Amino acid sequence: MAIGLYTGGTPNLNAIGNIFGVEGSLIARANLSDMIIGAVFYLFLLTICKPLLRKVLKPAGDAVYLTKKSEIVNKEELNLKELRHYKSLIFTTVLAVLMVTGGALLRVVVWITGGRPEGKLVDIMVPPIMITVTLLEITASLFRRVRGAKGTNIIGQY
């Protein structure tokens, strides 16, 4: 549950707790302890941390980190007037949806072959979907057509 909390937040802690059948009051105590420890840590960062680090670390002085002029270019910018990017964007979007569907179908197959225990299809559907999608996405990223598609960051936000 702690790993889920620190990798994906409170919803992951709650989901993992529900999957393992943890009592609700224990999940609530885990959430509360995280909030208390997090609050203490943030107060430390906001108040004491900087003065302590000033005593230990040397000041940077007039160091210049950029030695030459740099210009930031948005590689993910999608110009809607240029239709040539749509084919690869549509392809990668459909591929992503198929990956999620494949993960869900894998879970349904496991549920059916496991004797269809009542109420267990949705309870533990998330981990197989996430693992399947992650593995498929890593595999798909090896192909240049998928990796180089413009606009995928924009689509991925939704």
Side-chain angles (χ1 to χ4, degrees):
M1 286 171 40
I3 291 170
L5 175 67
Y6 294 113
T7 58
T10 303
N12 281 7
L13 177 131
N14 293 336
I16 292 170
N18 286 332
I19 287 170
F20 289 125
V22 176
E23 184 181 322
S25 64
L26 181 60
I27 295 173
R29 288 193 304 264
N31 276 319
L32 179 62
S33 65
D34 173 60
M35 284 189 233
I36 292 170
I37 292 169
V40 170
F41 178 67
Y42 285 129
L43 284 173
F44 167 74
L45 289 177
L46 293 172
T47 58
I48 303 170
C49 186
K50 189 174 179 179
L52 284 177
L53 288 177
R54 244 189 218 143
K55 292 181 180 185
V56 177
L57 301 174
K58 297 177 185 177
D62 293 336
V64 177
Y65 295 103
L66 294 176
T67 56
K68 54 184 170 179
K69 187 177 179 181
S70 65
E71 193 172 307
I72 298 173
V73 178
N74 185 1
K75 300 258 184 202
E76 284 293 324
E77 184 178 354
L78 181 65
N79 187 351
L80 296 177
K81 294 179 182 176
E82 293 181 21
L83 297 177
R84 64 185 176 163
H85 298 299
Y86 280 148
K87 284 185 182 180
S88 63
L89 185 58
I90 290 171
F91 171 76
T92 53
T93 304
V94 168
L95 186 62
V97 170
L98 289 174
M99 288 178 196
V100 172
T101 306
L105 288 175
L106 176 69
R107 177 58 191 128
V108 170
V109 167
V110 169
W111 177 69
I112 289 172
T113 58
R116 299 180 185 181
E118 189 173 325
K120 295 296 180 188
L121 174 63
V122 179
D123 287 352
I124 53 176
M125 194 152 200
V126 174
I129 291 174
M130 297 302 287
I131 291 169
T132 305
V133 169
T134 302
L135 290 174
L136 290 173
E137 287 175 349
I138 290 170
T139 304
S141 72
L142 299 174
F143 297 100
R144 183 175 295 177
R145 182 174 179 194
V146 173
R147 188 176 55 240
K150 287 183 88 175
T152 54
N153 190 34
I154 297 167
I155 297 296
Q157 297 297 320
Y158 298 100

